[in-house]
Every structure is written in structure tokens, then in C-alpha cells.
Amino acid sequence: MQAVSGGYNYKKITDYTTYNPVTHNSKNMSGNMNLTLKVWRQKNSQAAGKFVTYKAEGISPDMSFLEMLDVVNESLTLKGDEPIHFDHDCREGICGMCSLYINGRPHGPKKAITTCQLHMRSFSDGETITIEPWRSAAFPVVKDLATDRSAFDRIQQAGGYISVNTGGVPDANEIPIPKVIADEAFNSATCIGCGACVAACKNASAMLFVSAKVSQLGMLPQGQPERYSRVQSMVAQMDAEGFGNCTNTGACEAECPKEITLTNISRMNNDYFSAKLFREEHAHDQNGD
Amino acid sequence: MSLDAKIPQGPLAEKWSKHKFNLKLVNPANKRKYDIIVVGTGLAGASAAASLAELGYNVKSFCFQDSPRRAHSIAAQGGINAAKNYRNDGDSVYRLFYDTIKGGDYRSREGNVYRLAEVSVNIIDQCVAQGVPFAREYGGLLDNRSFGGAQVSRTFYARGQTGQQLLLGAYSALNRQIHLGKVKMYTRTEMLDLVVIDGQAKGIVTRNLKTGEIDTHEGHAVLLCTGGYGNVFYLSTNAIGSNVTAAWRAHKRGAFFANPCYTQIHPTCIPVTGDHQSKLTLMSESLRNDGRVWAPKTVETAEKLRKKQISAAEVKEEDRDYFLERKYPSFGNLVPRDVASRNAKEMVDEGRGVGGSGFAVFLDFADAIKRLGEDTVRAKYGNLFDMYYQITDENPYKQPMRIYPAVHYTMGGLWVDYNLSTNVPGLYALGECNFSDHGANRLGASALMQGLADGYFVIPYTLGDYLATIGPKPVDKNHQAFEQAKQDAIAHINKLLALKGTKTVSEYHRDLGHIMWEYCGMARTEEGLTKAKGLIQQLKADFWTNAIVTGENEEINAALERAGRVADFIELGELMVTDALMRRESCGGHFRLESQTPEGEALRNDDEFAFVAAWEYKGENQPEQLNKEELVFENVKLTQRSYK
Ligand SMILES: Cc1cc2nc3c(=O)[nH]c(=O)nc-3n(C[C@H](O)[C@H](O)[C@H](O)COP(=O)(O)OP(=O)(O)OC[C@H]3O[C@@H](n4cnc5c(N)ncnc54)[C@H](O)[C@@H]3O)c2cc1C
Ligand code: SF4
Ligand code: FES
């Protein structure tokens, strides 16, 4: 067996005086794909943006899409140029931070995954790939491919919770919940807040995102006391943020990396209209805060 | 300096309730006169910020991501422990306490661990009340699974996304307080330094990551909930942004750093494929409930597998070595992580590793699928199987997963006493950022438990005592310490931005990772560690002359952010190696080849090393000073850990 160090195919560094950064780790780096990237570059929210073309060479099909961008950024950095800025953190499809619009689709060509889970084996050698930020008035670009999605946080702050303080709550098993309900609430709760639904929608509607939280809490017994005030507060904030209306095109569901379904929107609409009927009784009746 | 852990006197089971009674309280009307800074919005930070705001304090909360919901806790997969004994399988607070002390190889405090086990039951109640959709049985009650190092089933879970669901619960509590105006949230804001006035923590220096603006914030207390430092190894299961900067800068301002060398290498991660790799992906420990770990019995079979001349399914039952089941019949595949990792490494070292590189063993679900059916397996682990498939392009329903250990968690961290206070009064550390409860090895599903215990159920009590002592007098924000700390931060940034050498910061980070993994990873020796120390010193000098940092301060500048973090990791790396050199024994995840039992298990030296090593910063390029907190065991007997 090849003598490589502790599980990683790295060469050992034995001495810094003879160490050459260029040749050191190059052996496993390269693959055989060459790509052309058309990337949206924009210095900040005020500046005008434009597409810039880059070559991505020696890309391995095992790289993730973001690792491919890392390679491009390394070479830009070595030239003293500014690397391409994009949001990312967990790189395993759960934090919701990554957000690229790839060849006209949020999170790229594959179904039910985020950009960070997309691998280069989904592309072919020689391909040209267009990379843009989410496009929506409610998500202004902050730099290059990163946008400001704080509108989503403000919608959650408006009512995406059950008003319980720490301590003084009943034993967990005192609230039995049928497994089917618990599972369905879980499905809604898996939304990662990435914003792909908004980016996919021609109206830039945030209904899928908002309805996921409304559904999760609205299905659970713990969520009943605030069920109707919650939906009203969240929808009001959604409207205030400038998201568009829902015209049932279903693009959000098709592009959602977590497969949040349109059923959530139906549930939210039901609750919202019930709430309107009972507005007097239910709206903002939680003086307990 | 003598270290007083302030563990209350009296019988184990009464310590916490007595202590709570003895702590001073802040009068409800006075609470709004106190400002509390909470850095971090993971499980520890979000739960602390929300709970303190509910009590009436004014909270300022900070995170470097674009939303508090994206803290790294979101990625936790498998579950959270609690001594509910809903299974009627013999669990109890005492058993969880005992398992945790033993799992940590007798290097944690009895008092802290008992309290953790005690409040674990409240956590589950709290989360359910918030609407966290834990897995349930058909009768509507909560379901459990088993995790390593335990023979009872006490782990609560939400499919493979427990961390996400718990964090979204804490995030919702935080949101409610933001809405009520009790928490002011600062996103895309990074803490760069701690402000200390007359020996007390009184504020922080931050950089607005969108504009580059350097600011100061004052508070009566500062809570660091900034997570672990596993990324010192470059490749780990942590999120890319996870870093040590807040804790490290606090260390340089006087806070002791405890047991830095205690790192956890998780046995079940997806193996490395090449140098382009930017992070490693965990396959949750819960998979060891149903997956069986094996390697081929002979090097010849392994060789054929590596060359893809045969497939795993073609290896006959009698040619497989289910090495964990063979060596540890009573715990089987569910031995603690350090034990499982070392055994996988042993297989690979013997030439019995599989996969293209030979750096992997199998985690096989064929039996589980036969026994339970594919649908049941999918319902339990579907998202993990999908994740595996996305990354490897191999279908784990059809062929066994290939797994290999990877850096996952750091048991070391800022030294704190029983009240979660560092040795700098007013500075607290919660969650993975502190060193407190896991000794030399953390059991699975216990980090989520500890983060939430600290934030929901410990700090709301212990912080009040300190605040009542110092009184509500406003912090003097014109004190020159604020301006001084701000100028120091600006100078540091300018020094980084002046670096226009020939090597990228990522390259330095990767090099540091190689050194750490090679010499301060799963097996450590006097010789290797000594060498590593020299290499890190060279690396540091080289970084500060030859790194490239592009761009400027007054804009979003990921290169600058990264450079600051890597510079701190390099310094931390040296301290880890120093700590590992000092600790001439093996314990838990710290395995010194010189100290092992005849069976190759970690051999402790309790006479000389039953202490917490708390390191004190002594200035640039000065050796750090070791302070010892002796560990006192009144309830458990120290024995050689056995999982046979
Ligand atoms: C892949 C994975 C799976 C896991 N699964 C489990 C599991 O199943 N069960 C279990 O018990 N444990 C698990 N763990 C461990 C557990 O998730 C972590 O230990 C825990 O979530 C840490 O929480 P925390 O609140 O301490 O920190 P984190 O969640 O890491 O939060 C850190 C916070 O600090 C902020 N921050 C950091 N530095 C700064 C700075 N300088 N300025 C401003 N803000 C800053 C960040 O923005 C973030 O908000 C897992 C870990 C990983 C990596
Ligand atoms: S609904 Fe889907 S697409 Fe929209 S934010 Fe949630 S996870 Fe992303
Ligand atoms: S980086 Fe976290 S979801 Fe993609």
C-alpha cells in the first residue's frame, strides 16, 4: 500500500525551508474537466454588476460545486485579484446559507439538493456555466453572489414561534401527538430558509417559506393557541417586505431543496381565511407577553 | 494561580439545588438595567439569549452568519440525550452521569456532569413545548434510539436532523424576544476582541462583515457561545466558518484555555477523496444502531476490494471481520467514539482498509434491511443515506458505506467554573466553547444536551449571582479600554491586509491541518509532537511574511475574515501540541502511543494526570503557563475503562 499520511492523501511537510507551495499538494488536485464560468460580479449593493468570464481548469468530477469555485478563487488570489464572493457555511445542505442561481435554476440542475451538495459530475467537460445571485427585490445583492435575506428573519420574528418561556412547561410525554401529525409537522419543519423558492418564482413570492412554519406550528397541539394570530402576523410582515403574490405556478415546490410541498400553502391559506373571519376574537390576543 | 471550580459542597444529588438556593437574585425591576452580550446563536447562545431576555435583561446577540438560524448547531444529526427513562430500560440521572464520566475517561468534574444529567430531562420538555417535532411512536409518545457508550436507549431525535430542529426551536424563542425588543440582533458581525476593565469583562470589539466598520459594545457581562475549534485541523465535520477567534482573543486577554489537546475524532465520516476537499461529512453515530462495522479478514481480500476486483457483497461472511463486535461483545458497534475510531485506524494500519485509498472500513446495512425492510431503514436514516449518495455517488441501500474517522468535536475550550464563569469575572463560556463536561471524550448526543443545559437552565441562575454582586451601575463606555481594544483590532486587520506574499491563506490552513492530523491526531508521540511544535512555529513565521490577503477592510472581504481566523488557529495549534506533550498519559481521545494497555486501549496515569490543564497566556511568543485544577472523585471509582 502507498505510504500516505494518516488517512488523507497528503504529502507530509517535513521542513518549511524546502517547502514549495505550488508543487506540494498538486498531485491529487486535478481532474480532467475544463469549464467556462460566467459569474455575476457586483462590488456592493449600490454598485452596478456585470458578468465576468473565468476558466475553471483541471476540475475533478468528485468536487462539489463550491469546491470548484474554491479552486477558481485560489487562482484569482494568487494573481492578486479579488476572489468571487458567495455565501456558504455547513456545506452539507442544512444551514441554508449557500444560494447560487446556476444555469437559470436555484441550486442548479438537480432536484432536492442545495448548491453545496451539487457535484461536478452533474456537468460535462467543456460546458459553460452561468452563475448568478438570487434575484428578488426583497433580497438585495450584498456582494457578487451573496444576497441579504434578512427579510426571512423578520417574518419569523413577527410570529414564527410558540410563546413559551424557559421552564415551567409540562412533561414532554403529557402531550401525545399522533405519529402521522408529528411526521407531517416535521416535513414542514425541514425548511432551511435558503430562499430558493423566492428565487424560482416569477412573482418572487415567499409563500412556500412562510407556509412551512405556519403549517408546522399549526398542525401541532402546542401551536393551537396562537394558530390564527400567527398566520396573520407572518403574512402581514411578508407583505411588508415586498414579496410578490402567489399565482400557483408551483416553481417554488419544484426547486425547493427540501421538497417542501404546496400543501403547506393550502394549509396556510385555510388558516389565513379562517383567521380573517374570526379576526375580532383572535388577532393579537396575547397580552400575556 | 489557584483555580477554584466553585463546586458546591454536599452530596452529589443535592449540589445543584442547594447552589441555586444560595445564589443571589436580581430584583425583577432591576433586570432591565443590565446589558448582556451574547456572542453566538447556536444552541448555547440562542437558548441563553432568549432565556435571559425572558427574565428581563437587555441582550445583544451576535453571529457571523447572515442569520442566527445558520449557526453550526443546525448541522447536528443524530440526537440529544436525556435521562427520561421513558423506555423503562434502567436509565436514571445517575446512570447518565456515570456513563458520561466513564465515557470521558474520568477527566471531567463529577459536580458538573451530575447537574448536566439532572437538567437533561427539562430540556426535552422545553423543546416539545416550543414545537420541536421529535420522532414519535404510533401511540403518540416520544421515540428513542441508542448511542455509543450506553446500554440504554435515551437519545431523542428528529430523523437525522435533530440539531436543525432544536436550533430552530431556540431560534424561535430568540425571535420572539427580538420581536419584543428585548434582544437586539447583530448578524454578519464578528467579535474580534474582548474589553477588560479592572480585571472584569465589560464589552467586545466587533467588525461589521458587510461594511468593515469596527465597533465596540459594552455590557455587564459577556457570554461566549462561539462553538468549537475542530477546524484547526482544516478538514473536519464543522462548518467552514467555525473558528476559534472569539475564544482565542479572550484567551489573550486573560481567560485560561483548558485541555486544548482533547479533540474528538468521529469514527463514521465519509472518507477523503482528494486534495480539493474542503470539509468532511459526518454520518451520524445513530447509524451504528443498525449498521455493522467490518473490514476484510485478510490483506489479500482488502487489496482486491481496493482494486475493485470484487465488491463488498462478494466477500463471504467468514471472510469478514466485524471487529467491534468481536472485540467488545457487550457494547458491540456502540462502543464510544474514541474506541471505534482507533480500531478503524488499526484496520487500516494493518492493510485491511478498503475504498480506493485504503483509508476506510465498511458500515453495512444489509442485515438491517433484511430484518426491518428498506422502508423502515429509509424512515430512520433516509436523509443520511441521501447525503452519502450525493457525495460518493454510491447507493448505500445496495452496498455498504465506506467510513473513516474525522475530526468532529473539541472537548477542550475556555476554562469555566461550576457557574460557567471563566477566570475573568464577567466573562462566561457556554456550549462547545467551554471545556466543561465531557472530559477527554464526549459521548454521542451529549453536545446538544450540554449546549441547551448551559443556555436554558444553568446560566439564567448563575449569571444573576454575579450581576447582583456588581450592581446595575452602567458600564463606562468612554473608558479608554474600549478605544484601546478597538485600535488593537484595527492594527491587527491592517497587519493582515498588508500581507501581499505568494501563498494563499487556505494553503496555510491546509498545511496546519496536515501537521495537526499527522502529529496531534488519533495517535500522538513525544517525538512527533515535538516536531510538530517546530513546524507550527515555522508556519507561523512564514504566514506573517508570505501570505496573500486580498481586498480592503471597508467591504465584504472573506479573504480577510479567513486570514484572521487562520492566524488564530495557528497559535491555538501550537498550544494544543504543548498540551498534548505535557499530558504523558492516554485518556479518551488523547492517545499517546507510549501509554497503552496490552490490548491497545488508552492507559491513564491517574496519579500524575487527574487534573484539568488550564493554560495562561503570557504574551507574544512567550511559553504559556500551566495551571492545574485537580479533579476530585467522591462518587465514582476510577477504573480502566472497559467496553468488553
Ligand atoms: C456534523 C455534526 C453533527 C453533530 N451531531 C451531533 C448530535 O447528533 N448530537 C450532539 O449532541 N452533538 C452533535 N454535534 C455536536 C454539536 O452539534 C455541537 O457541539 C453544538 O451544536 C455546538 O453548539 P454551540 O452553541 O456551542 O456552537 P455553534 O452552534 O457552533 O454556534 C457558534 C455560534 O457562534 C457564532 N460565532 C463564532 N465565532 C464568532 C465570532 N468571532 N463573532 C461572532 N459570532 C461568532 C457563530 O455565528 C454561531 O452563531 C454534531 C456536530 C457536527 C459538526
Ligand atoms: S421552502 Fe424550500 S426553497 Fe423555500 S426557503 Fe424553505 S427550503 Fe428553501
Ligand atoms: S452551505 Fe449550508 S446548505 Fe449549503
Side-chain angles (χ1 to χ4, degrees):
Chain A
M1 218 172 69
Q2 195 189 3
V4 274
S5 73
Y8 298 173
N9 295 329
Y10 290 146
K11 258 197 259 171
K12 282 190 197 179
I13 310 162
T14 42
D15 189 353
Y16 259 89
T17 44
T18 58
Y19 175 84
N20 180 340
V22 180
T23 54
H24 187 75
N25 282 312
S26 50
K27 95 183 135 32
N28 253 336
M29 182 74 99
S30 51
N32 42 19
M33 294 172 77
N34 295 320
L35 305 152
T36 305
L37 308 180
K38 283 175 66 188
V39 183
W40 184 260
R41 303 290 318 246
Q42 179 173 339
K43 199 161 170 54
N44 53 48
S45 53
Q46 274 84 45
K50 61 172 194 296
F51 281 106
V52 180
T53 303
Y54 300 96
K55 291 265 174 253
E57 282 162 353
I59 298 300
S60 149
D62 283 334
M63 283 181 192
S64 74
F65 196 83
L66 297 184
E67 285 166 350
M68 180 275 292
L69 285 179
D70 290 343
V71 170
V72 174
N73 276 344
E74 284 287 284
S75 65
L76 287 175
T77 306
L78 284 170
K79 283 191 276 178
D81 292 344
E82 265 214 62
I84 301 161
H85 189 72
F86 56 92
D87 271 335
H88 64 108
D89 199 19
C90 73
R91 295 205 176 188
E92 53 187 62
I94 194 74
C95 74
M97 191 122 176
C98 64
S99 48
L100 303 181
Y101 201 73
I102 302 165
N103 286 343
R105 295 185 62 183
H107 294 306
K110 289 190 82 177
K111 218 180 133 45
I113 56 166
T114 54
T115 296
C116 60
Q117 294 174 292
L118 179 63
H119 281 72
M120 295 315 293
R121 61 181 90 93
S122 300
F123 297 87
S124 31
D125 188 24
E127 203 175 325
T128 297
I129 306 174
T130 307
I131 313 172
E132 297 167 78
W134 282 177
R135 305 275 194 197
S136 153
F139 292 160
V141 171
V142 294
K143 182 173 183 174
D144 296 343
L145 302 168
T147 59
D148 178 351
R149 288 168 287 183
S150 54
F152 268 14
D153 281 330
R154 290 188 294 272
I155 296 172
Q156 296 294 341
Q157 288 156 17
Y161 42 77
I162 291 171
S163 298
V164 287
N165 281 356
T166 303
V169 298
D171 183 89
N173 262 352
E174 275 178 32
I175 317 172
I177 302 174
K179 185 170 162 51
V180 278
I181 304 271
D183 286 351
E184 195 48 29
F186 176 87
N187 289 339
S188 303
T190 57
C191 162
I192 56 174
C194 62
C197 45
V198 175
C201 175
K202 67 179 169 55
N203 310 319
S205 162
M207 289 285 272
L208 195 64
F209 166 76
V210 180
S211 68
K213 187 48 89 187
V214 167
S215 287
Q216 177 207 339
L217 299 181
M219 273 183 276
L220 295 171
Q222 306 93 299
Q224 295 313 309
E226 295 163 292
R227 179 167 172 185
Y228 299 103
S229 59
R230 176 182 309 115
V231 65
Q232 295 200 24
S233 314
M234 291 182 78
V235 168
Q237 188 64 36
M238 173 181 87
D239 292 341
E241 297 289 350
F243 290 102
N245 288 327
C246 173
T247 53
N248 287 316
T249 65
C252 54
E253 183 190 64
E255 299 292 4
C256 171
K258 296 295 144 183
E259 302 186 290
I260 303 291
T261 60
L262 291 174
T263 319
N264 290 282
I265 298 187
S266 317
R267 285 194 204 109
M268 176 161 91
N269 283 335
N270 281 337
D271 279 6
Y272 186 72
F273 291 115
S274 310
K276 275 192 133 167
L277 285 174
F278 298 112
R279 192 189 294 272
E280 275 69 49
E281 284 119 291
H282 292 290
H284 287 285
D285 56 358
Q286 343 113 276
N287 302 326
D289 269 329
Chain B
M1 160 144 187
S2 81
L3 277 174
D4 180 4
K6 305 217 174 92
I7 299 167
Q9 297 297 313
L12 195 55
E14 291 168 26
K15 283 182 195 291
W16 177 230
S17 25
K18 273 201 180 149
H19 187 64
K20 278 196 286 189
F21 180 73
N22 289 330
L23 290 170
K24 288 196 209 95
L25 298 174
V26 177
N27 157 342
N30 270 347
K31 290 207 174 89
R32 64 188 156 76
K33 297 183 189 155
Y34 290 97
D35 298 319
I36 314 296
I37 290 172
V38 181
V39 189
T41 59
L43 288 178
S47 60
S51 304
L52 293 169
E54 286 163 10
L55 289 173
Y57 299 112
N58 303 312
V59 178
K60 284 184 173 185
S61 170
F62 298 83
C63 69
F64 66 75
Q65 292 93 345
D66 70 332
S67 161
R69 68 180 291 154
R70 308 207 202 281
H72 173 57
S73 294
I74 201 89
Q77 302 174 348
I80 177 166
N81 289 330
K84 281 284 197 188
N85 194 28
Y86 283 163
R87 304 286 103 191
N88 195 28
D89 59 357
D91 201 9
S92 63
V93 168
Y94 195 86
R95 189 177 292 280
L96 175 52
F97 154 77
Y98 180 80
D99 287 349
T100 307
I101 288 272
K102 177 184 171 193
D105 216 354
Y106 306 96
R107 288 293 173 265
S108 46
R109 290 184 193 136
E110 286 187 342
N112 280 57
V113 174
Y114 193 86
R115 173 179 65 189
L116 177 65
E118 214 177 328
V119 303
S120 69
V121 295
N122 305 112
I123 296 173
I124 303 304
D125 301 343
Q126 189 64 37
C127 296
V128 167
Q130 289 167 344
V132 170
F134 283 119
R136 291 187 180 258
E137 299 176 324
Y138 284 99
L141 301 182
L142 293 165
D143 194 12
N144 289 113
R145 52 169 55 144
S146 306
F147 258 58
Q151 287 172 311
V152 295
S153 204
R154 61 161 78 97
T155 306
F156 294 79
Y157 67 102
R159 236 167 276 174
Q161 282 137 278
T162 316
Q164 178 195 32
Q165 295 310 317
L166 295 174
L167 184 63
L168 292 180
Y171 164 76
S172 74
L174 179 68
N175 279 336
R176 176 167 160 250
Q177 296 306 315
I178 295 173
H179 184 64
L180 293 169
K182 291 304 292 179
V183 175
K184 181 147 175 45
M185 185 69 229
Y186 295 82
T187 58
R188 293 205 202 254
T189 305
E190 180 163 36
M191 166 178 164
L192 292 181
D193 209 347
L194 179 73
V195 180
V196 180
I197 300 178
D198 300 331
Q200 294 180 337
K202 293 293 181 194
I204 59 170
V205 179
T206 58
R207 178 167 181 272
N208 178 326
L209 301 181
K210 283 204 285 191
T211 63
E213 198 179 334
I214 309 293
D215 253 323
T216 58
H217 300 268
E218 68 283 354
H220 291 86
V222 176
L223 277 50
L224 298 189
C225 314
T226 47
Y229 52 85
N231 276 347
V232 66
F233 289 85
Y234 183 67
L235 286 183
S236 84
T237 61
N238 289 6
I240 301 288
S242 297
N243 70 89
V244 77
T245 290
W248 191 252
R249 307 278 169 97
H251 174 57
K252 288 178 124 179
R253 292 279 178 194
F256 294 172
F257 211 106
N259 300 335
C261 81
Y262 289 171
T263 40
Q264 175 160 86
I265 315 255
H266 195 294
T268 56
C269 301
I270 302 180
V272 176
T273 58
D275 283 347
H276 58 263
Q277 192 115 13
S278 58
K279 76 156 279 165
L280 293 171
T281 304
L282 173 75
M283 287 288 105
S284 164
E285 175 157 320
S286 59
L287 292 171
R288 287 196 273 145
N289 268 290
D290 290 305
R292 299 178 69 196
V293 179
W294 65 276
K297 266 194 187 144
T298 62
V299 178
E300 293 69 51
T301 316
E303 191 63 40
K304 283 188 199 146
L305 281 161
R306 288 196 287 269
K307 292 194 176 134
K308 296 205 169 137
Q309 291 163 348
I310 52 169
S311 72
E314 285 169 299
V315 181
K316 288 203 215 67
E317 205 53 35
E318 61 267 28
D319 294 331
R320 301 176 176 200
D321 178 10
Y322 294 90
F323 52 93
L324 294 179
E325 295 170 24
R326 167 173 61 81
K327 288 172 74 175
Y328 309 95
S330 51
F331 280 72
N333 292 296
L334 285 173
V335 290
R337 293 175 175 174
D338 53 335
V339 179
S341 290
R342 269 198 293 282
N343 277 282
K345 179 177 186 297
E346 218 168 83
M347 293 299 126
V348 167
D349 289 349
E350 285 173 17
R352 295 202 271 147
V354 298
S357 65
F359 283 98
V361 295
F362 289 124
L363 179 62
D364 201 329
F365 292 88
D367 283 355
I369 291 173
K370 224 182 279 162
R371 182 163 40 91
L372 306 165
E374 193 171 314
D375 286 345
T376 308
V377 171
R378 192 185 309 277
K380 278 178 149 173
Y381 311 114
N383 74 316
L384 298 171
F385 278 47
D386 290 349
M387 210 191 260
Y388 183 85
Y389 174 65
Q390 284 307 334
I391 293 174
T392 62
D393 211 20
E394 292 172 7
N395 180 350
Y397 295 101
K398 301 278 173 256
Q399 61 193 103
M401 289 183 176
R402 288 172 295 110
I403 51 155
Y404 199 64
V407 174
H408 178 59
Y409 181 87
T410 49
M411 283 74 70
L414 291 179
W415 183 87
V416 290
D417 64 15
Y418 190 72
N419 295 321
L420 304 181
S421 169
T422 68
N423 59 303
V424 177
L427 179 69
Y428 292 76
L430 282 66
E432 194 173 339
C433 178
N434 72 26
F435 89 105
S436 64
D437 298 346
H438 307 294
N441 173 56
R442 174 174 72 77
L443 289 184
S446 286
L448 302 182
M449 168 172 76
Q450 182 227 329
L452 290 179
D454 288 358
Y456 284 135
F457 297 112
V458 179
I459 200 72
Y461 291 93
T462 59
L463 183 63
D465 186 65
Y466 170 74
L467 297 175
T469 312
I470 61 165
K473 200 165 121 298
V475 175
D476 175 12
K477 54 180 163 202
N478 298 318
H479 193 285
Q480 54 91 17
F482 281 98
E483 188 54 29
Q484 186 58 50
K486 182 175 170 177
Q487 291 311 325
D488 290 351
I490 293 172
H492 189 72
I493 287 174
N494 288 338
K495 204 169 142 197
L496 287 166
L497 285 170
L499 293 172
K500 300 285 178 241
T502 59
K503 187 167 153 179
T504 67
V505 170
S506 315
E507 198 75 45
Y508 282 101
H509 195 177
R510 197 173 299 153
D511 291 350
L512 175 67
H514 299 175
I515 298 170
M516 297 304 292
W517 178 256
E518 185 66 32
Y519 301 110
C520 199
M522 270 191 283
R524 305 162 175 187
T525 64
E526 191 84 22
E527 194 199 342
L529 289 164
T530 310
K531 186 162 168 190
K533 200 164 170 161
L535 286 174
I536 297 172
Q537 285 163 352
Q538 286 180 40
L539 184 74
K540 182 176 170 186
D542 198 63
F543 175 91
W544 284 106
T545 47
N546 201 26
I548 316 174
V549 182
T550 52
E552 43 198 84
N553 178 54
E554 287 70 31
E555 59 175 353
I556 295 187
N557 187 342
L560 174 63
E561 291 164 30
R562 179 124 202 222
R565 292 170 189 168
V566 171
D568 292 339
F569 274 137
I570 294 175
E571 295 184 0
L572 167 76
E574 188 178 345
L575 183 63
M576 289 170 71
V577 166
T578 306
D579 187 44
L581 264 173
M582 178 279 300
R583 195 166 280 280
R584 289 196 172 87
E585 65 161 352
S586 295
C587 54
H590 170 64
F591 196 72
R592 287 283 300 254
L593 284 180
E594 301 94 339
S595 181
Q596 44 181 316
T597 67
E599 293 94 37
E601 306 292 343
L603 179 65
R604 292 194 321 270
N605 176 349
D606 294 328
D607 293 339
E608 286 179 66
F609 291 101
F611 63 80
V612 175
W615 296 92
E616 181 174 354
Y617 183 76
K618 286 292 189 189
E620 191 68 28
N621 295 324
Q622 298 298 312
E624 298 224 0
Q625 184 182 317
L626 174 64
N627 299 285
K628 294 181 185 175
E629 178 204 330
E630 297 297 333
L631 290 167
V632 183
F633 295 90
E634 293 168 339
N635 299 277
V636 298
K637 203 169 136 275
L638 277 64
T639 52
Q640 171 64 39
R641 245 177 3 156
S642 166
Y643 291 95
K644 304 205 178 278

